[in-house]
Amino acid sequence: MEPVIQIKPGATKWDIRQKVWDYIEEKNLANFPRPVHNRIPNFKGATQACNKLADLQEFKSSQTVKVNPDRPQQQARFVTLEAQKTLLVPTPRLRTGLFNKITPPQGATKEQLRICASAQGVKDFSVPVGLDAKVKVDLVVVGSVAVSETGVRIGKGEGFADMEYGMMVSMGAVNESTVVVAIVHDCQVVDIPEELRESHDLTVDYILTPTRVIQTNCKFPKPQGIIWTKLNTEKLQKIPILKKLRALEEQAGKDVTLGISPEAEEPGLQTSQPARQTRRRPRQNSVQDAEGEPRQERGAASEYKARQRPARVRKESRGDAGKEGETYERRRRRSGGNMREKGSEEGGSEVGSQRKLPASVTTVYLGGIPAGLRVSELKTALREREAAPLRLTWQGAQHRAFLDYSDPEAAEQALEALQGLNLNGSSLQAELAKSQRGGKRSVQSNRRPRPSAAPKSKPAGPDTKSGASEGTDS
């Protein structure tokens, strides 16, 4: 079957990623969260593709299945639980460990199993699995940005799937015969040049799409463990479990020499991102997308550096276009500290803030933000609850933020996910902004929205944006 996305000779991994992300966005082939850039796409038809997992003989004969924590593979997690198999889900971004073993309530109903398979369910119904656990994984399910019919896989560029597999090898949980399944949209099956594959890259044995089941008969070996020379001290600081594994392997007499500094090479990445990513704002290497993840700029090394720095909060209101690369703190000091806190964060597409939001955009008001909370901490919470917006307008000084979603349905999903959100001991209030509620008033305020010409000494209402362009890109 001819791939719908054609890859030109000489393309890099970042060229392929960008081409797939752009195509999915242009053809509207993804569900929330959007845009899909710098993510594992939550493609339309993911449920149908995941349901094909139950038909694989390798799945039927398996006892323990590891499934990635991304939204498009949620149905695969449900299928695994419904088949009464042991489900292991990696800790998102490996922050607090390697695996979580999902433990549904005794006699769980189908609806309860669906909850257990969700991102929140993984937190609420799981127990951690350590590196010293005696576990055998029979089948591995991974998300991907692109895969080829020969079994070559490209992720979103951070190397987590490769590291997870390498750690499982070190644990003795997997071996060369362990079956790996990628679940993607049909358009994500492309011709990936085999020369792009590297020794640490995880290959796949099956590809499941909404319309196809592809057995790759992959001839390439899977990773034989963690390749320490591709990592560095900075990566180990961010992923503590790597430090623990390195200590264990060092005790066992293995060579655990790390690679050179992150200035020279990014761990887990295989090739630089094309220079076109830097042409718009060459100064802003630390801008983060709606998931709290930075846009890749100036290649793999600077991308990794950017992921470790807090987001810059920018003022991009009218008349300040020339200052959009300047940090909020620098301008605050220059103005004597009296400047109001403003900021915006957008989705991580290539064009970023230069493109207009869709006409159907729906805004959610988030109030009760505690003093001292960083915008990066809020974005992390939104990402973990799978409620990352297209754009985030940060008004921390007023203890609130506004979240823009692509349409009312996406906003409702976010509202549901944000119920009960508690940060730094404070419960946050999430509801549709006044402009979205047809004149309905907030349940916590009976004040009428103030007109735009209100005196400057009085702040705007608790759930209305204070100005047409404050802290936002339009």
Side-chain angles (χ1 to χ4, degrees), residues 151-170:
V152 180
R153 171 190 176 273
I154 294 178
K156 64 181 178 181
E158 296 179 298
F160 284 108
D162 305 326
M163 285 189 289
E164 289 164 7
Y165 192 89
M167 283 188 273
M168 287 192 290
V169 171
S170 299

Side-chain angles (χ1 to χ4, degrees), residues 88-99:
L88 300 178
V89 180
T91 301
R93 306 182 72 80
L94 300 177
R95 291 188 193 92
T96 57
L98 179 55
F99 288 135

Side-chain angles (χ1 to χ4, degrees), residues 169-439:
V169 171
S170 299
M171 293 172 61
V174 296
N175 54 43
E176 186 60 36
S177 63
T178 303
V179 175
V180 178
V181 179
I183 301 179
V184 297
H185 191 275
D186 290 278
C187 75
Q188 293 175 263
V189 182
V190 300
D191 291 329
I192 301 174
E194 293 182 356
E195 58 268 22
L196 292 181
R197 189 196 70 83
E198 297 187 58
S199 58
H200 61 273
D201 287 339
L202 179 62
T203 54
V204 303
D205 303 295
Y206 284 93
I207 303 170
L208 307 183
T209 78
T211 65
R212 305 170 68 192
V213 175
I214 303 169
Q215 186 170 4
T216 66
N217 297 311
C218 185
K219 63 182 181 181
F220 302 110
K222 295 182 175 68
Q224 299 302 303
I226 292 292
I227 303 176
W228 296 105
T229 54
K230 291 185 176 291
L231 302 177
N232 52 59
T233 55
E234 191 169 355
K235 192 72 167 180
L236 265 63
Q237 291 297 325
K238 299 299 178 182
I239 305 178
I241 194 170
L242 279 176
K243 294 172 65 176
K244 182 177 180 180
L245 176 62
R246 182 169 179 254
L248 291 173
E249 294 203 349
E250 188 173 26
Q251 291 175 7
K254 296 184 179 180
D255 184 2
V256 293
T257 303
L258 296 177
I260 54 180
S261 71
E263 301 293 337
E265 179 180 359
E266 156 136 14
L269 291 189
Q270 301 83 8
T271 184
S272 297
Q273 186 170 2
R276 68 185 180 197
Q277 294 293 329
T278 68
R279 68 173 181 239
R280 184 166 59 87
R281 291 176 187 163
R283 293 174 59 191
Q284 297 184 18
N285 283 344
S286 64
V287 176
Q288 295 185 332
D289 69 10
E291 285 191 303
E293 299 174 1
R295 299 169 194 148
Q296 289 80 359
E297 298 183 27
R298 303 176 185 244
S302 60
E303 178 202 35
Y304 177 75
K305 294 276 287 183
R307 288 184 190 279
Q308 313 310 321
R309 292 195 290 264
R312 291 178 179 175
V313 184
R314 309 190 306 272
K315 178 178 179 183
E316 295 185 356
S317 55
R318 283 189 278 271
D320 290 296
K323 302 178 183 178
E324 61 186 11
E326 187 177 17
T327 64
Y328 160 81
E329 183 62 26
R330 186 183 305 166
R331 295 198 309 278
R332 189 187 68 79
R333 289 197 300 266
R334 192 172 62 194
S335 62
N338 294 323
M339 186 176 144
R340 293 176 64 191
E341 184 173 7
K342 303 176 184 179
S344 71
E345 296 299 331
E346 279 201 317
S349 66
E350 184 178 13
V351 294
S353 62
Q354 290 185 350
R355 72 175 189 176
K356 294 182 178 179
L357 293 174
S360 61
V361 68
T362 304
T363 302
V364 169
Y365 162 76
L366 193 62
I369 293 176
L373 184 75
R374 296 175 179 269
V375 66
S376 58
E377 294 173 319
L378 174 60
K379 289 188 298 180
T380 297
L382 294 174
R383 184 180 65 239
E384 290 177 347
R385 288 181 172 245
E386 299 187 355
L390 292 176
R391 178 173 62 183
L392 184 155
T393 302
W394 174 254
Q395 296 177 357
Q398 288 77 40
H399 307 291
R400 66 190 178 197
F402 294 93
L403 316 177
D404 291 331
Y405 295 94
S406 58
D407 52 47
E409 181 180 357
E412 288 296 333
Q413 291 178 350
L415 283 171
E416 182 177 348
L418 295 174
Q419 295 306 307
L421 178 61
N422 188 294
L423 296 176
N424 292 358
S426 297
S427 296
L428 276 62
Q429 171 199 359
E431 59 186 41
L432 290 177
K434 282 187 176 181
S435 60
Q436 312 294 329
R437 289 187 265 130

